Amino acid sequence: MDPVIIVGAGPVGLVLALSLAAQGVPSVVLDEGSGPEEPRPVRTVVLRPDVAAFVAGLGCPAVVGDGVGWVAWRSMRRGHLLRRVEFGEGRDGGPSPVHVPQHELVRGLRAALAASGLVRLVTHSRLDRLEQDAQGVSAHTSGPGATWWRGSYAVGCDGARSTVRKLLDVRFAGRTAVERQAVVALRAELPWPGEALLHRLPPWRAGGEEVTARPLPGGIWRLDWLLPPRADLVTPDALVGRVRDTLGGWCGGTPQYELLDTGVHTVHHRLARRWRVRRVFLAGDAAHLLGALGTQGLDEGLRDARNLAWKLARAWHHGPCEALLDSYQAERRTAVAARLRAADQSLPVLRGGAGLRGWIPGTARAHDALVADGHLGRGPLGAPDGHPDSPLAPAPAESHIAVGTAAGSPVSDVPVTAPDGGVVALRDRLGRGRLLVVLVAPGTAVWDRRHWLTAGVMPRLTAAVAELPLDAELLVAEAYPGAPAHAVLLVRPDGHLVAAFNGVHPVDLYAAAEAVRGGVGRGEGDPAGSGSGSGADRVGGGGVEGAGAAQVGQVVGRRAE
């Protein structure tokens, strides 16, 4: 069978290629450029812990090593500390986000790609034609080696100005220049080593409305200043003035610093109308743009790759299932649209001036908490995507129970015992195209494996797993948040909980796995090839429309109380 064609060699395209390779699917990555871009210290990436673990599991453990996991997060307003969140095991912040230079991320991904043996990276290949038929996709590239490429599927990971999206004639509606930030990378000693900072309304002259500071390896920091709407161009002198005033305000006097790089980052909010047109898909910035209030566009793009990879791998190995392939758009577009709605509806509240809100007790703290959520991966602005209404969700059954993870949400990373007797993290078993079946069995860690494999419910569960319509791996956990003893969890290949059962129920377990495969589930997805879609997640020229304002308002109001 022909490989998958991936257009674009940025982080999203490279991660998708590696994820497909991990599931035995070859790909061709078409790179318009000549190779890795020149390093820019101001171009950095913040990855949520689960996404960082996903990328590291693709053969890029250096992602964590080259990045910085923050010790803590500080929220300040004027000259006062509002909140400090500590990261780490047993801390209130849980695992830390990972902050990594983008060129280091790309370097690690390219090294892993070269070692995979299933990915061909072709430079100087600019896509100019795209044709589809019932058996596959043909892509023509211009350049020194102009040629036609044949693939089973194609994925456009070619950025905001996506050629794939334009060739498919897919609308990319939304808002332009939602926010602008002046950005610098510098080497200096700040008062909070290893801590990230959000400082709103700093009390010095050039502070502006908001400034963030995030550490990087080697004593380097990235600083971002929110620029006012319709601001003039940022001159070098004005930027140096911001640096001096900000460092002086934090350190009680301007410390020595080395300015490494500068830039201006403009945030757009856009959402592609369709993410699938027959055998061609969109992912990353080709499908969506976001970034206001701390939301992370690249992090969302890597979630696209994780969601799509196992579905394409299933179709490549076993033939296409339209419901399964359609679920990519139904799940990921809905999740990103909700994120965009939350950001667009929060912006007037958070950026619209204080007015009377500045005199309401608790309001400032609530607003700061809402902005911090976007940076920390919490709440409507930043929480990991869940798919409660996924077309792959199974129909309700009496054996289903509630646990600490809602159905459709990412599972908690707990230690599990694999069939070979080794104890690993649950996330380490993801990304291989297999379902995971997790039995919660307290006490197994102190039993001899020879006994518990043949005791209690294990033989019956082992037989049930062997009969599932998708490849599955049986794991055993000492405990899982909110799950009683002998609960059975069914987990998708991308780490989302399908359902939890109150014991071994082979018929219900099979039905849930069949739904994941694209069989009979709770509902039907939006047929991506038809161009139809729900009005609740439209994006128009005035911003992202639809429900969600009440949710954001409730969050702000609840924290203000």
Side-chain angles (χ1 to χ4, degrees):
M1 191 168 177
D2 294 319
V4 174
I5 298 173
I6 298 172
V7 183
V12 175
L14 298 178
V15 164
L16 177 60
L18 284 171
S19 191
L20 289 171
Q23 299 172 66
V25 178
S27 62
V28 174
V29 180
L30 303 179
D31 183 2
E32 182 178 329
S34 58
E37 298 179 2
E38 180 182 352
R40 288 290 310 277
V42 294
R43 297 192 68 187
T44 65
V45 179
V46 177
L47 303 179
R48 311 305 188 205
D50 62 314
V51 174
F54 163 62
V55 175
L58 294 174
C60 302
V63 168
V64 178
D66 290 341
V68 168
W70 304 330
V71 175
W73 170 270
R74 286 175 173 264
S75 289
M76 299 184 69
R77 181 178 173 85
R78 302 193 188 278
H80 305 287
L81 177 66
L82 292 179
R83 183 171 59 150
R84 184 174 182 272
V85 178
E86 292 189 355
F87 298 109
E89 187 174 352
R91 302 288 187 176
D92 58 339
S96 166
V98 175
H99 190 204
V100 59
Q102 182 164 319
H103 66 272
E104 294 290 350
L105 172 62
V106 170
R107 178 186 58 79
L109 292 172
R110 284 178 175 262
L113 182 146
S116 71
L118 284 176
V119 183
R120 181 179 179 184
L121 178 62
V122 187
T123 58
H124 302 289
S125 297
R126 180 181 178 83
L127 181 73
D128 56 15
R129 291 181 63 185
L130 195 63
E131 298 178 0
Q132 300 189 59
D133 55 50
Q135 286 72 45
V137 179
S138 296
H140 184 267
T141 56
S142 59
T147 188
W148 282 94
W149 300 89
R150 183 67 177 173
S152 53
Y153 297 91
V155 186
C157 304
D158 48 343
R161 296 181 175 86
S162 171
T163 300
V164 174
R165 189 184 63 242
K166 293 172 183 175
L167 292 174
L168 295 176
D169 196 25
V170 172
R171 290 183 61 230
F172 198 40
R175 300 174 60 196
T176 300
V178 176
E179 285 189 347
R180 292 175 67 238
Q181 289 124 15
V183 187
V184 304
L186 54 83
R187 183 177 284 108
E189 290 187 14
L190 296 187
W192 319 284
E195 297 188 18
L197 169 71
L198 168 68
H199 198 159
R200 302 190 74 215
L201 300 177
W204 47 84
R205 179 175 57 84
E209 185 174 337
E210 181 179 298
V211 58
T212 58
R214 289 170 284 198
L216 285 162
I220 298 173
W221 294 79
R222 170 171 163 165
L223 274 62
D224 297 57
W225 291 268
L226 180 67
L227 298 174
R230 297 177 294 278
D232 295 333
L233 293 176
V234 180
T235 65
D237 288 345
L239 193 53
V240 170
R242 285 180 181 270
V243 171
R244 290 182 176 276
D245 282 358
T246 299
L247 296 183
W250 285 338
C251 302
T254 305
Q256 288 188 341
Y257 68 91
E258 179 185 1
L259 190 61
L260 303 176
D261 196 9
T262 65
V264 175
H265 176 53
T266 302
V267 174
H268 310 289
H269 279 183
R270 295 188 177 275
L271 189 65
R273 184 66 185 84
R274 299 161 69 186
W275 289 27
R276 179 193 178 197
V277 179
R278 297 167 60 195
R279 287 179 172 265
V280 182
F281 300 80
L282 299 175
D285 285 354
H288 52 76
L289 294 175
L290 68 164
L293 302 176
T295 54
Q296 299 294 327
L298 180 54
D299 188 87
E300 294 292 343
L302 298 183
R303 293 183 190 278
D304 297 343
R306 181 171 62 181
N307 185 291
L308 181 59
W310 72 272
K311 298 171 182 179
L312 280 181
R314 174 77 189 173
W316 195 88
H317 285 296
H318 302 283
C321 171
E322 296 306 311
L324 180 63
L325 294 176
D326 281 346
S327 72
Y328 166 65
Q329 171 175 306
E331 292 178 346
R332 285 298 302 150
R333 189 178 186 275
T334 299
V336 174
R339 192 89 75 213
L340 283 168
R341 283 196 299 270
D344 275 0
Q345 292 157 0
S346 298
L347 278 166
V349 177
L350 297 168
R351 308 295 194 213
L356 290 175
R357 290 191 302 273
W359 299 95
I360 301 175
T363 300
R365 192 175 296 272
H367 291 179
D368 285 297
L370 186 61
V371 177
D373 279 350
H375 290 275
L376 298 180
R378 300 176 175 182
L381 292 178
D385 57 327
H387 311 308
D389 299 316
S390 168
L392 305 183
E398 290 186 4
S399 62
H400 291 182
I401 59 173
V403 296
T405 300
S409 297
V411 292
S412 298
D413 191 24
V414 299
V416 293
T417 302
D420 61 4
V423 177
V424 297
L426 180 57
R427 282 180 183 161
D428 290 345
R429 312 306 285 188
L430 300 173
R432 307 181 187 190
R434 296 194 296 260
L435 292 173
L436 301 182
V437 179
V438 183
L439 172 66
V440 180
T444 50
V446 298
W447 298 347
D448 189 308
R449 177 173 169 271
R450 292 172 299 175
H451 299 309
W452 60 258
L453 280 176
T454 57
V457 301
M458 281 297 291
R460 187 165 178 243
L461 182 56
T462 301
V465 171
E467 294 297 322
L468 293 180
L470 286 84
D471 292 340
E473 181 179 24
L474 177 57
L475 305 167
V476 179
E478 276 275 323
Y480 188 88
H486 305 136
V488 175
L489 280 59
L490 182 63
V491 182
R492 290 179 8 169
D494 58 356
H496 290 258
L497 180 67
V498 179
F501 306 87
N502 61 351
V504 180
H505 297 269
V507 173
D508 292 344
L509 185 64
Y510 187 97
E514 180 67 18
V516 174
R517 189 173 66 164
V520 179
R522 181 163 49 194
E524 296 295 331
D526 173 28
S530 68
S532 62
S534 169
D537 57 9
R538 291 195 304 272
V539 180
V544 184
E545 304 171 4
Q551 180 186 18
V552 175
Q554 289 167 2
V555 172
V556 174
R558 201 161 46 238
R559 287 178 174 145
E561 294 172 356

